Amino acid sequence: MGKGIIKNLTLIKEGICSIIYSKEDECPICKMYSEEGYLCKECISKIRFCKNRYMLNQYNIEFKYYSIAYYTGNIKELILRLKYKSDFHCGEILSSYMTSKIKEENIPCDILTYVPMKRKSLRERGYNQSKCLAKNIGKELNIPIITTLKKTENTKDQIGLNGIERWENIRGAFTAVNHDKFKNKKIILIDDVITTGATAFCCAEELLMAGAKEINILTAAKSNV
Ligand SMILES: [Zn+2]
């Protein structure tokens, strides 16, 4: 038995492994085998799924919102990878959960839209993660994605502001655009994470004032607060 045979066997094994465990068939979190690159059972078990529908109430207006899971564990991991590591595969996993939610909950939808980013932040990151999610969902459901909002450039950063200040700061930070494309339409507003709900609420409020018929909010995650 020469060393050559062992070396050849190793090469064959590596070859087989790389075919079976190709990148498409591994869990993006733990890198274990998982069909079609979805999360493995173990990683799914570390997601705290949301079972309820929630309400955002402010200024005598009410919007329903839906989230896939709490912003912790592996949902947080998927979002961080999409946001800061340009891992669009993680984005696809998140949006497939969001697509299922739309179907399960029968959320009315003529068009999809997303929470916009400031031009400066968009330049720095190179993409808007919420738009990425909306695009994937739109493709799966065959629903158009419309840019309906622009973020005003001079809004303060939300970090360091208390609850009330956040609401006041964010109100008026979004301006509706492309009115003719969403007038009288039922819209699903997509965002990555909902925290106080101020951002999503103010976007939805602006759309409602600008002529949308109905707005429901769908986010990948919901913070525990
Ligand atoms: Zn895994």
Side-chain angles (χ1 to χ4, degrees):
M1 288 279 279
K3 278 183 185 168
I5 296 169
I6 295 168
K7 198 181 164 194
N8 282 337
L9 279 176
T10 310
L11 281 174
I12 293 166
K13 227 161 58 183
E14 279 174 352
I16 292 168
C17 283
S18 70
I19 293 163
I20 299 172
Y21 298 107
S22 65
K23 192 138 185 83
E24 288 76 39
D25 279 347
E26 67 182 28
C27 168
I29 304 271
C30 68
K31 304 294 174 199
M32 295 295 280
Y33 170 76
S34 180
E35 213 173 320
E36 291 177 4
Y38 279 96
L39 295 186
C40 67
K41 279 189 184 141
E42 180 71 19
C43 287
I44 292 173
S45 74
K46 289 174 191 152
I47 294 176
R48 282 179 58 210
F49 288 98
C50 297
K51 292 187 179 68
N52 302 320
R53 185 178 72 184
Y54 307 91
M55 296 305 256
L56 277 177
N57 268 298
Q58 200 78 11
Y59 315 117
N60 291 322
I61 311 173
E62 204 172 57
F63 296 108
K64 289 185 201 111
Y65 80 91
Y66 305 80
S67 298
I68 302 309
Y70 288 96
Y71 189 56
T72 175
N74 286 333
I75 279 285
K76 185 174 180 178
E77 185 61 32
L78 289 172
I79 292 171
L80 293 178
R81 287 188 194 194
L82 167 66
K83 243 172 135 168
Y84 301 110
K85 292 186 180 163
S86 308
D87 191 334
F88 299 112
H89 178 53
C90 288
E92 278 171 23
I93 294 174
L94 289 167
S95 45
S96 72
Y97 277 120
M98 294 166 90
T99 304
S100 305
K101 192 77 158 182
I102 294 173
K103 290 181 184 165
E104 280 161 24
E105 299 283 343
N106 233 336
I107 310 173
C109 185
D110 299 319
I111 63 162
L112 287 162
T113 196
Y114 53 89
V115 172
M117 282 166 69
K118 278 189 200 175
R119 229 176 331 161
K120 186 172 170 279
S121 323
L122 190 59
R123 255 203 314 269
E124 280 164 8
R125 185 169 301 153
Y127 57 94
N128 175 341
Q129 70 280 356
S130 301
K131 188 179 183 179
C132 287
L133 295 171
K135 271 187 171 175
N136 295 339
I137 298 165
K139 210 154 64 175
E140 279 188 68
L141 293 175
N142 203 17
I143 294 171
I145 304 110
I146 311 281
T147 300
T148 58
L149 294 158
K150 271 218 156 83
K151 191 162 187 186
T152 326
E153 296 304 309
N154 57 5
T155 41
K156 278 192 242 161
D157 204 317
Q158 293 283 78
I159 297 161
L161 302 179
N162 69 30
I164 299 160
E165 288 168 340
R166 270 180 177 238
W167 280 92
E168 291 307 317
N169 182 45
I170 209 75
R171 214 173 181 208
F174 299 97
T175 313
V177 292
N178 297 323
H179 294 66
D180 53 321
K181 291 185 181 159
F182 68 83
K183 205 167 182 225
N184 289 322
K185 302 270 193 217
K186 294 173 186 169
I187 303 175
I188 298 182
L189 174 70
I190 304 291
D191 204 4
D192 53 351
V193 185
I194 193 161
T195 309
T196 61
T199 298
F201 180 92
C202 294
C203 285
E205 185 190 26
E206 176 68 16
L207 293 174
L208 193 66
M209 298 304 162
K213 189 173 187 182
E214 183 182 339
I215 303 112
N216 285 282
I217 298 152
L218 175 62
T219 69
K222 167 184 168 56
S223 72
N224 298 324
V225 194

